[in-house]
Amino acid sequence: LTVRSANGADDCTIDCEQMGRAFYFHSGEDDKSVVMGFTIINGLTNDRGGAILCEASSPTIMGCDFEDNAAVSDGFGTGNGGAVYCAGASPLLDRCNFRRNRAVTSVPDPEDPPFFDNSGLGGAVMAINGSDVTLLDCTFEENEAVSPGLGGNGIGGAIFIAQSNPDGPTLPSHVLVDCGHFARNPAPIEDAAN
């Protein structure tokens, strides 16, 4: 299955209007499942993958721009992968641009107790549970992982790689970055990648 724009990302925008994410891969899709040539903006989820969520799948994402997407938590969990979240997944992201995406965990009321385990993880991309993510010639600019509330930390302004599996044995994840560009991806703990 290929979903492709006629004239590339500059001429075709998917505006999620802060009502969810654009794509959810979760049925074992392989590299023949292709998303090509879109600008995906304003994705918003309350946990993982503001624009794309990949679980146990390996899609190919080519020539896409991810802008102003966010994974946001209300303080009782984490905001993970502002644009793309991968769990046990092996996607290829080729010539994609990530700008102003955010992974945010917040405690809504300063009177509430701090949640010390809460962190915004991976402003643009997060990989967990044995994921093998390949990023070819991708650009990461002004993405951020933040936790403006009490007790949390933002980790990996651009990319966060988790070496754990909450449901069983440790499954190391890997991210291959080939010819990437990183600029201004802040996080309180690790700016570019962790």
Side-chain angles (χ1 to χ4, degrees), residues 135-157:
L135 302 166
L136 300 179
D137 199 20
C138 292
T139 299
F140 294 83
E141 296 176 343
E142 299 179 7
N143 302 286
E144 65 179 333
V146 296
S147 181
L150 300 171
N153 298 298
I155 305 172

mmCIF file of all heavy atoms in Angstrom, residues 135-157:
data_model
loop_
_atom_site.group_PDB
_atom_site.id
_atom_site.type_symbol
_atom_site.label_atom_id
_atom_site.label_comp_id
_atom_site.label_asym_id
_atom_site.label_seq_id
_atom_site.Cartn_x
_atom_site.Cartn_y
_atom_site.Cartn_z
ATOM 1 N N LEU A 135 17.123 6.447 9.994
ATOM 2 C CA LEU A 135 16.889 7.831 9.583
ATOM 3 C C LEU A 135 17.933 8.199 8.539
ATOM 4 O O LEU A 135 19.115 8.312 8.855
ATOM 5 C CB LEU A 135 17.003 8.766 10.792
ATOM 6 C CG LEU A 135 16.056 8.482 11.960
ATOM 7 C CD1 LEU A 135 16.503 9.237 13.197
ATOM 8 C CD2 LEU A 135 14.639 8.848 11.586
ATOM 9 N N LEU A 136 17.512 8.362 7.287
ATOM 10 C CA LEU A 136 18.423 8.699 6.205
ATOM 11 C C LEU A 136 18.233 10.152 5.794
ATOM 12 O O LEU A 136 17.139 10.545 5.391
ATOM 13 C CB LEU A 136 18.177 7.794 4.989
ATOM 14 C CG LEU A 136 18.363 6.298 5.192
ATOM 15 C CD1 LEU A 136 18.049 5.554 3.903
ATOM 16 C CD2 LEU A 136 19.782 5.992 5.653
ATOM 17 N N ASP A 137 19.285 10.940 5.917
ATOM 18 C CA ASP A 137 19.296 12.326 5.455
ATOM 19 C C ASP A 137 18.092 13.107 6.002
ATOM 20 O O ASP A 137 17.390 13.798 5.257
ATOM 21 C CB ASP A 137 19.326 12.377 3.924
ATOM 22 C CG ASP A 137 19.792 13.729 3.409
ATOM 23 O OD1 ASP A 137 20.443 14.468 4.182
ATOM 24 O OD2 ASP A 137 19.502 14.054 2.245
ATOM 25 N N CYS A 138 17.864 12.993 7.295
ATOM 26 C CA CYS A 138 16.752 13.693 7.949
ATOM 27 C C CYS A 138 17.265 14.925 8.689
ATOM 28 O O CYS A 138 18.406 14.961 9.147
ATOM 29 C CB CYS A 138 16.043 12.771 8.941
ATOM 30 S SG CYS A 138 15.160 11.403 8.160
ATOM 31 N N THR A 139 16.419 15.913 8.821
ATOM 32 C CA THR A 139 16.745 17.158 9.490
ATOM 33 C C THR A 139 15.891 17.296 10.749
ATOM 34 O O THR A 139 14.678 17.059 10.714
ATOM 35 C CB THR A 139 16.469 18.360 8.557
ATOM 36 O OG1 THR A 139 17.301 18.236 7.411
ATOM 37 C CG2 THR A 139 16.751 19.673 9.250
ATOM 38 N N PHE A 140 16.537 17.694 11.850
ATOM 39 C CA PHE A 140 15.859 17.906 13.126
ATOM 40 C C PHE A 140 16.157 19.327 13.598
ATOM 41 O O PHE A 140 17.293 19.635 13.934
ATOM 42 C CB PHE A 140 16.349 16.907 14.174
ATOM 43 C CG PHE A 140 15.995 15.480 13.863
ATOM 44 C CD1 PHE A 140 16.777 14.728 13.005
ATOM 45 C CD2 PHE A 140 14.866 14.904 14.427
ATOM 46 C CE1 PHE A 140 16.446 13.418 12.715
ATOM 47 C CE2 PHE A 140 14.529 13.586 14.138
ATOM 48 C CZ PHE A 140 15.323 12.849 13.281
ATOM 49 N N GLU A 141 15.140 20.180 13.627
ATOM 50 C CA GLU A 141 15.326 21.566 14.030
ATOM 51 C C GLU A 141 14.222 22.005 14.985
ATOM 52 O O GLU A 141 13.035 21.825 14.696
ATOM 53 C CB GLU A 141 15.331 22.492 12.815
ATOM 54 C CG GLU A 141 16.477 22.244 11.863
ATOM 55 C CD GLU A 141 16.422 23.110 10.619
ATOM 56 O OE1 GLU A 141 15.349 23.675 10.323
ATOM 57 O OE2 GLU A 141 17.454 23.214 9.949
ATOM 58 N N GLU A 142 14.641 22.563 16.108
ATOM 59 C CA GLU A 142 13.745 23.188 17.077
ATOM 60 C C GLU A 142 12.674 22.248 17.628
ATOM 61 O O GLU A 142 11.562 22.658 17.935
ATOM 62 C CB GLU A 142 13.111 24.438 16.477
ATOM 63 C CG GLU A 142 14.146 25.480 16.098
ATOM 64 C CD GLU A 142 13.541 26.730 15.478
ATOM 65 O OE1 GLU A 142 12.305 26.871 15.455
ATOM 66 O OE2 GLU A 142 14.330 27.572 15.025
ATOM 67 N N ASN A 143 13.006 20.970 17.747
ATOM 68 C CA ASN A 143 12.135 20.023 18.445
ATOM 69 C C ASN A 143 12.509 20.084 19.915
ATOM 70 O O ASN A 143 13.630 20.442 20.264
ATOM 71 C CB ASN A 143 12.351 18.613 17.900
ATOM 72 C CG ASN A 143 12.097 18.554 16.410
ATOM 73 O OD1 ASN A 143 10.974 18.597 15.966
ATOM 74 N ND2 ASN A 143 13.171 18.476 15.629
ATOM 75 N N GLU A 144 11.595 19.700 20.805
ATOM 76 C CA GLU A 144 11.959 19.732 22.219
ATOM 77 C C GLU A 144 11.191 18.714 23.033
ATOM 78 O O GLU A 144 10.076 18.329 22.707
ATOM 79 C CB GLU A 144 11.774 21.129 22.807
ATOM 80 C CG GLU A 144 10.364 21.636 22.863
ATOM 81 C CD GLU A 144 10.266 23.024 23.491
ATOM 82 O OE1 GLU A 144 11.118 23.392 24.314
ATOM 83 O OE2 GLU A 144 9.320 23.731 23.153
ATOM 84 N N ALA A 145 11.863 18.273 24.091
ATOM 85 C CA ALA A 145 11.267 17.389 25.087
ATOM 86 C C ALA A 145 11.242 18.175 26.391
ATOM 87 O O ALA A 145 12.290 18.625 26.853
ATOM 88 C CB ALA A 145 12.085 16.117 25.235
ATOM 89 N N VAL A 146 10.072 18.360 26.952
ATOM 90 C CA VAL A 146 9.945 19.216 28.126
ATOM 91 C C VAL A 146 9.012 18.611 29.161
ATOM 92 O O VAL A 146 8.155 17.793 28.855
ATOM 93 C CB VAL A 146 9.426 20.626 27.751
ATOM 94 C CG1 VAL A 146 10.417 21.345 26.859
ATOM 95 C CG2 VAL A 146 8.078 20.561 27.078
ATOM 96 N N SER A 147 9.218 19.062 30.367
ATOM 97 C CA SER A 147 8.320 18.736 31.473
ATOM 98 C C SER A 147 8.214 19.981 32.335
ATOM 99 O O SER A 147 8.969 20.153 33.288
ATOM 100 C CB SER A 147 8.863 17.559 32.286
ATOM 101 O OG SER A 147 7.959 17.268 33.334
ATOM 102 N N PRO A 148 7.297 20.879 31.989
ATOM 103 C CA PRO A 148 7.216 22.145 32.707
ATOM 104 C C PRO A 148 6.678 22.025 34.123
ATOM 105 O O PRO A 148 6.819 22.939 34.915
ATOM 106 C CB PRO A 148 6.275 22.982 31.833
ATOM 107 C CG PRO A 148 5.471 21.993 31.075
ATOM 108 C CD PRO A 148 6.344 20.794 30.896
ATOM 109 N N GLY A 149 6.092 20.882 34.452
ATOM 110 C CA GLY A 149 5.569 20.703 35.801
ATOM 111 C C GLY A 149 6.653 20.343 36.789
ATOM 112 O O GLY A 149 7.838 20.285 36.473
ATOM 113 N N LEU A 150 6.277 20.067 37.996
ATOM 114 C CA LEU A 150 7.217 19.704 39.048
ATOM 115 C C LEU A 150 7.695 18.273 38.883
ATOM 116 O O LEU A 150 6.927 17.379 38.580
ATOM 117 C CB LEU A 150 6.535 19.847 40.410
ATOM 118 C CG LEU A 150 6.038 21.248 40.748
ATOM 119 C CD1 LEU A 150 5.193 21.193 42.010
ATOM 120 C CD2 LEU A 150 7.203 22.200 40.920
ATOM 121 N N GLY A 151 8.990 18.053 39.082
ATOM 122 C CA GLY A 151 9.513 16.704 39.227
ATOM 123 C C GLY A 151 9.825 15.947 37.968
ATOM 124 O O GLY A 151 10.370 14.862 38.034
ATOM 125 N N GLY A 152 9.499 16.460 36.797
ATOM 126 C CA GLY A 152 9.774 15.707 35.580
ATOM 127 C C GLY A 152 10.938 16.297 34.820
ATOM 128 O O GLY A 152 11.416 17.383 35.112
ATOM 129 N N ASN A 153 11.400 15.583 33.833
ATOM 130 C CA ASN A 153 12.515 16.026 33.020
ATOM 131 C C ASN A 153 12.196 15.765 31.562
ATOM 132 O O ASN A 153 11.527 14.799 31.226
ATOM 133 C CB ASN A 153 13.792 15.251 33.382
ATOM 134 C CG ASN A 153 14.202 15.484 34.806
ATOM 135 O OD1 ASN A 153 14.499 16.610 35.186
ATOM 136 N ND2 ASN A 153 14.212 14.433 35.601
ATOM 137 N N GLY A 154 12.695 16.617 30.689
ATOM 138 C CA GLY A 154 12.637 16.345 29.271
ATOM 139 C C GLY A 154 13.933 15.686 28.851
ATOM 140 O O GLY A 154 15.013 16.117 29.238
ATOM 141 N N ILE A 155 13.842 14.617 28.064
ATOM 142 C CA ILE A 155 15.037 13.878 27.664
ATOM 143 C C ILE A 155 14.996 13.658 26.151
ATOM 144 O O ILE A 155 14.003 13.166 25.625
ATOM 145 C CB ILE A 155 15.123 12.518 28.386
ATOM 146 C CG1 ILE A 155 15.053 12.702 29.901
ATOM 147 C CG2 ILE A 155 16.399 11.791 27.991
ATOM 148 C CD1 ILE A 155 14.944 11.412 30.679
ATOM 149 N N GLY A 156 16.098 14.000 25.468
ATOM 150 C CA GLY A 156 16.189 13.796 24.027
ATOM 151 C C GLY A 156 15.364 14.800 23.254
ATOM 152 O O GLY A 156 14.269 14.489 22.806
ATOM 153 N N GLY A 157 15.885 16.009 23.067
ATOM 154 C CA GLY A 157 15.137 17.036 22.345
ATOM 155 C C GLY A 157 14.730 16.598 20.951
ATOM 156 O O GLY A 157 13.651 16.920 20.484
#
